[in-house]
Amino acid sequence: QVQLVESGGGLVQAGVSLTLSCIASGPISDVNIMGWYRQAPGKQRELVATITFIGTTNYVDSVKGRFTISRENAKNTVSLQMSSLKPEDTAVYYCNAQLKRIGVVGWRDYWGQGTQVTVSS
């Protein structure tokens, strides 16, 4: 019932900007930390950025200064603004959220299906 759906991926040239969006829908009562992860071909999934309910952010070193994570709590959405994209940013990007479902006790992590970002040189 709870779903996280990403959008905004695509094929772009190095140096340009791209914004990813994710919306969490369903019987959700609370959303804590939200974030973006990515997985490049042949590599493990890595954390890209996280943001707390009040807006505290954290980024992996490789994207600091280039990527900006933001959220809109009333709509249960999280976005990732990516600028100065590099070929090494090529990966499937996944949305993640720690949330509570209505009528269910306890926090759980939920994941989106992923959106492909390909950066050509």
PDB file of all heavy atoms in Angstrom, residues 1 3 5 9 22 30 59 65 81 86 96 106 109-110:
ATOM      1  N   GLN A   1       0.818  -1.211   0.000  1.00  0.00           N
ATOM      2  CA  GLN A   1       0.000   0.000   0.000  1.00  0.00           C
ATOM      3  C   GLN A   1       0.850   1.259   0.000  1.00  0.00           C
ATOM      4  O   GLN A   1       0.510   2.228  -0.683  1.00  0.00           O
ATOM      5  CB  GLN A   1      -0.935  -0.005   1.194  1.00  0.00           C
ATOM      6  CG  GLN A   1      -2.053  -1.027   1.125  1.00  0.00           C
ATOM      7  CD  GLN A   1      -3.000  -0.909   2.305  1.00  0.00           C
ATOM      8  OE1 GLN A   1      -2.565  -0.985   3.448  1.00  0.00           O
ATOM      9  NE2 GLN A   1      -4.273  -0.740   2.026  1.00  0.00           N
ATOM     10  N   GLN A   3       3.933   3.286  -1.165  1.00  0.00           N
ATOM     11  CA  GLN A   3       4.810   3.272  -2.317  1.00  0.00           C
ATOM     12  C   GLN A   3       5.648   4.534  -2.388  1.00  0.00           C
ATOM     13  O   GLN A   3       5.172   5.615  -2.053  1.00  0.00           O
ATOM     14  CB  GLN A   3       4.020   3.133  -3.621  1.00  0.00           C
ATOM     15  CG  GLN A   3       3.362   1.789  -3.814  1.00  0.00           C
ATOM     16  CD  GLN A   3       2.754   1.654  -5.194  1.00  0.00           C
ATOM     17  OE1 GLN A   3       2.372   2.652  -5.810  1.00  0.00           O
ATOM     18  NE2 GLN A   3       2.667   0.438  -5.691  1.00  0.00           N
ATOM     19  N   VAL A   5       7.768   6.505  -5.310  1.00  0.00           N
ATOM     20  CA  VAL A   5       7.947   6.529  -6.750  1.00  0.00           C
ATOM     21  C   VAL A   5       8.863   7.670  -7.149  1.00  0.00           C
ATOM     22  O   VAL A   5       8.571   8.833  -6.858  1.00  0.00           O
ATOM     23  CB  VAL A   5       6.602   6.656  -7.484  1.00  0.00           C
ATOM     24  CG1 VAL A   5       6.824   6.671  -8.991  1.00  0.00           C
ATOM     25  CG2 VAL A   5       5.683   5.502  -7.106  1.00  0.00           C
ATOM     26  N   GLY A   9      14.709  11.041 -13.926  1.00  0.00           N
ATOM     27  CA  GLY A   9      15.947  10.539 -14.486  1.00  0.00           C
ATOM     28  C   GLY A   9      15.968  10.671 -16.000  1.00  0.00           C
ATOM     29  O   GLY A   9      14.955  10.956 -16.631  1.00  0.00           O
ATOM     30  N   CYS A  22      10.704  12.359  -5.693  1.00  0.00           N
ATOM     31  CA  CYS A  22      10.151  11.133  -5.139  1.00  0.00           C
ATOM     32  C   CYS A  22       8.958  11.484  -4.273  1.00  0.00           C
ATOM     33  O   CYS A  22       9.029  12.402  -3.460  1.00  0.00           O
ATOM     34  CB  CYS A  22      11.206  10.398  -4.311  1.00  0.00           C
ATOM     35  SG  CYS A  22      10.585   8.997  -3.345  1.00  0.00           S
ATOM     36  N   ASP A  30       3.649   8.957   9.685  1.00  0.00           N
ATOM     37  CA  ASP A  30       4.835   9.755   9.992  1.00  0.00           C
ATOM     38  C   ASP A  30       5.968   9.401   9.048  1.00  0.00           C
ATOM     39  O   ASP A  30       6.144   8.245   8.671  1.00  0.00           O
ATOM     40  CB  ASP A  30       5.301   9.517  11.433  1.00  0.00           C
ATOM     41  CG  ASP A  30       4.314   9.977  12.470  1.00  0.00           C
ATOM     42  OD1 ASP A  30       4.152  11.200  12.641  1.00  0.00           O
ATOM     43  OD2 ASP A  30       3.700   9.107  13.120  1.00  0.00           O
ATOM     44  N   TYR A  59      25.547  14.602   3.016  1.00  0.00           N
ATOM     45  CA  TYR A  59      25.901  14.220   1.660  1.00  0.00           C
ATOM     46  C   TYR A  59      27.168  13.386   1.628  1.00  0.00           C
ATOM     47  O   TYR A  59      28.067  13.567   2.444  1.00  0.00           O
ATOM     48  CB  TYR A  59      26.147  15.443   0.781  1.00  0.00           C
ATOM     49  CG  TYR A  59      24.981  16.389   0.644  1.00  0.00           C
ATOM     50  CD1 TYR A  59      24.813  17.438   1.533  1.00  0.00           C
ATOM     51  CD2 TYR A  59      24.062  16.238  -0.392  1.00  0.00           C
ATOM     52  CE1 TYR A  59      23.752  18.318   1.400  1.00  0.00           C
ATOM     53  CE2 TYR A  59      23.002  17.111  -0.528  1.00  0.00           C
ATOM     54  CZ  TYR A  59      22.848  18.152   0.365  1.00  0.00           C
ATOM     55  OH  TYR A  59      21.794  19.026   0.227  1.00  0.00           O
ATOM     56  N   GLY A  65      28.446  20.170  -2.719  1.00  0.00           N
ATOM     57  CA  GLY A  65      28.618  21.356  -3.533  1.00  0.00           C
ATOM     58  C   GLY A  65      27.954  21.269  -4.886  1.00  0.00           C
ATOM     59  O   GLY A  65      27.816  22.282  -5.577  1.00  0.00           O
ATOM     60  N   GLN A  81      18.371  17.876  -6.366  1.00  0.00           N
ATOM     61  CA  GLN A  81      18.814  18.757  -7.431  1.00  0.00           C
ATOM     62  C   GLN A  81      20.279  18.470  -7.705  1.00  0.00           C
ATOM     63  O   GLN A  81      21.119  18.632  -6.821  1.00  0.00           O
ATOM     64  CB  GLN A  81      18.613  20.221  -7.033  1.00  0.00           C
ATOM     65  CG  GLN A  81      17.168  20.605  -6.762  1.00  0.00           C
ATOM     66  CD  GLN A  81      17.034  22.038  -6.265  1.00  0.00           C
ATOM     67  OE1 GLN A  81      17.950  22.838  -6.341  1.00  0.00           O
ATOM     68  NE2 GLN A  81      15.862  22.367  -5.753  1.00  0.00           N
ATOM     69  N   LYS A  86      28.574  14.625 -13.712  1.00  0.00           N
ATOM     70  CA  LYS A  86      29.757  13.976 -14.242  1.00  0.00           C
ATOM     71  C   LYS A  86      29.407  12.561 -14.684  1.00  0.00           C
ATOM     72  O   LYS A  86      28.454  11.975 -14.185  1.00  0.00           O
ATOM     73  CB  LYS A  86      30.851  13.912 -13.172  1.00  0.00           C
ATOM     74  CG  LYS A  86      31.219  15.245 -12.560  1.00  0.00           C
ATOM     75  CD  LYS A  86      32.206  15.057 -11.413  1.00  0.00           C
ATOM     76  CE  LYS A  86      32.574  16.383 -10.771  1.00  0.00           C
ATOM     77  NZ  LYS A  86      33.527  16.199  -9.642  1.00  0.00           N
ATOM     78  N   ASN A  96      14.571   6.698  -0.648  1.00  0.00           N
ATOM     79  CA  ASN A  96      14.411   5.947   0.594  1.00  0.00           C
ATOM     80  C   ASN A  96      13.719   6.806   1.637  1.00  0.00           C
ATOM     81  O   ASN A  96      13.943   8.011   1.708  1.00  0.00           O
ATOM     82  CB  ASN A  96      15.774   5.493   1.118  1.00  0.00           C
ATOM     83  CG  ASN A  96      15.710   4.908   2.515  1.00  0.00           C
ATOM     84  OD1 ASN A  96      15.969   5.593   3.504  1.00  0.00           O
ATOM     85  ND2 ASN A  96      15.357   3.635   2.609  1.00  0.00           N
ATOM     86  N   GLY A 106       5.949   1.216  14.961  1.00  0.00           N
ATOM     87  CA  GLY A 106       7.326   1.016  14.578  1.00  0.00           C
ATOM     88  C   GLY A 106       7.715   1.641  13.248  1.00  0.00           C
ATOM     89  O   GLY A 106       6.884   1.799  12.348  1.00  0.00           O
ATOM     90  N   ASP A 109      11.964   1.099   6.834  1.00  0.00           N
ATOM     91  CA  ASP A 109      12.541   1.710   5.646  1.00  0.00           C
ATOM     92  C   ASP A 109      11.808   1.238   4.399  1.00  0.00           C
ATOM     93  O   ASP A 109      11.558   0.048   4.225  1.00  0.00           O
ATOM     94  CB  ASP A 109      14.021   1.367   5.519  1.00  0.00           C
ATOM     95  CG  ASP A 109      14.899   2.155   6.461  1.00  0.00           C
ATOM     96  OD1 ASP A 109      14.645   3.362   6.632  1.00  0.00           O
ATOM     97  OD2 ASP A 109      15.845   1.559   7.017  1.00  0.00           O
ATOM     98  N   TYR A 110      11.480   2.197   3.533  1.00  0.00           N
ATOM     99  CA  TYR A 110      10.839   1.886   2.266  1.00  0.00           C
ATOM    100  C   TYR A 110      11.688   2.418   1.130  1.00  0.00           C
ATOM    101  O   TYR A 110      12.378   3.434   1.268  1.00  0.00           O
ATOM    102  CB  TYR A 110       9.430   2.489   2.210  1.00  0.00           C
ATOM    103  CG  TYR A 110       8.441   1.787   3.108  1.00  0.00           C
ATOM    104  CD1 TYR A 110       8.372   2.080   4.462  1.00  0.00           C
ATOM    105  CD2 TYR A 110       7.577   0.826   2.600  1.00  0.00           C
ATOM    106  CE1 TYR A 110       7.477   1.425   5.291  1.00  0.00           C
ATOM    107  CE2 TYR A 110       6.674   0.171   3.426  1.00  0.00           C
ATOM    108  CZ  TYR A 110       6.629   0.476   4.764  1.00  0.00           C
ATOM    109  OH  TYR A 110       5.734  -0.179   5.579  1.00  0.00           O
TER     110      TYR A 110
END
